[in-house]
Amino acid sequence: MLINEFLSDIEKSCSHIALLCVKHILNKVYKDIDTVNDQKLKELFSNYNNYNKYLNDYAGTIYNKHSSSVNNVYIEMCKFLDIDIDNQYTLEHVIIKLEKQEPAVILNLLDDDIKMMTIENFEEKLNSILSSKYYNNNKSQFQSRVDKLSKNLSLVKKALQL
């Protein structure tokens, strides 16, 4: 597919910020290339981490100028490309974020309100993983990591007597 055709389709179907973000990503990934395989485009724009990676320097424009977010652009592009948002990349992203929140980190938070909000957020994200279609169809791949996250949450709650 010609990149210009792809951008034209996005311009007709998506928000202005989605178009700007896609141009920004394509500029970083496919400099001086006019055509890209449709499957490669779909792979590029289905990978949630690519948005964080390639739009990192574009955050001011996304958040401030357009009152949007990387997540909003991702969702819009998934709809445009007919990609299920409940996929390997989004699941992996949430799991990695939760794995960084080890029990010691949560327990060492000084502000009790922030500690409780962190625990509630952790629990919500864990529940969203457990109800994820992709997770439930690929449990063997993620089960041990999700079990560890669940144990970490239980440990924190037990330590705080919740």
Side-chain angles (χ1 to χ4, degrees):
M1 168 179 270
L2 287 172
I3 289 179
N4 286 338
E5 287 176 10
F6 180 65
L7 291 173
S8 179
D9 290 346
I10 291 172
E11 188 172 23
K12 292 173 191 169
S13 305
C14 298
S15 67
H16 185 63
I17 189 58
L19 174 64
L20 294 175
C21 290
V22 168
K23 282 182 178 179
H24 193 75
I25 291 170
L26 289 172
N27 226 14
K28 289 188 172 214
V29 177
Y30 297 115
K31 282 187 178 174
D32 303 322
I33 294 177
D34 293 334
T35 59
V36 179
N37 177 302
D38 289 357
Q39 187 57 36
K40 285 194 182 246
L41 280 174
K42 202 165 187 170
E43 286 174 29
L44 173 68
F45 290 105
S46 66
N47 188 333
Y48 189 84
N49 292 327
N50 286 339
Y51 289 79
N52 289 314
K53 179 179 172 182
Y54 297 121
L55 295 176
N56 188 33
D57 62 338
Y58 209 58
T61 301
I62 297 169
Y63 296 110
N64 300 330
K65 191 173 178 185
H66 291 277
S67 300
S68 190
S69 69
V70 169
N71 196 52
N72 291 346
V73 172
Y74 178 76
I75 291 168
E76 188 173 355
M77 289 307 300
C78 283
K79 287 178 183 174
F80 174 74
L81 294 168
D82 196 29
I83 298 167
D84 189 353
I85 295 167
D86 183 359
N87 61 50
Q88 175 186 353
Y89 301 110
T90 54
L91 180 64
E92 189 72 37
H93 180 77
V94 173
I95 289 173
I96 288 170
K97 282 181 84 170
L98 291 180
E99 286 173 335
K100 291 178 183 176
Q101 295 180 8
E102 295 181 354
V105 172
I106 297 171
L107 292 171
N108 287 330
L109 292 171
L110 298 177
D111 187 297
D112 287 340
D113 290 336
I114 293 174
K115 194 180 295 184
M116 291 308 297
M117 285 175 28
T118 302
I119 293 167
E120 288 170 9
N121 189 28
F122 191 106
E123 193 165 31
E124 284 174 23
K125 286 187 183 340
L126 185 58
N127 287 334
S128 74
I129 290 170
L130 295 171
S131 64
S132 162
K133 231 181 352 176
Y134 188 85
Y135 169 74
N136 285 304
N137 290 335
N138 299 278
K139 268 189 178 177
S140 61
Q141 185 180 351
F142 299 99
Q143 184 77 49
S144 63
R145 292 170 71 192
V146 171
D147 286 347
K148 184 175 180 184
L149 293 172
S150 185
K151 287 176 186 174
N152 286 350
L153 179 62
S154 294
L155 177 68
V156 168
K157 285 180 152 187
K158 187 174 181 178
L160 296 173
Q161 298 176 345
L162 298 177

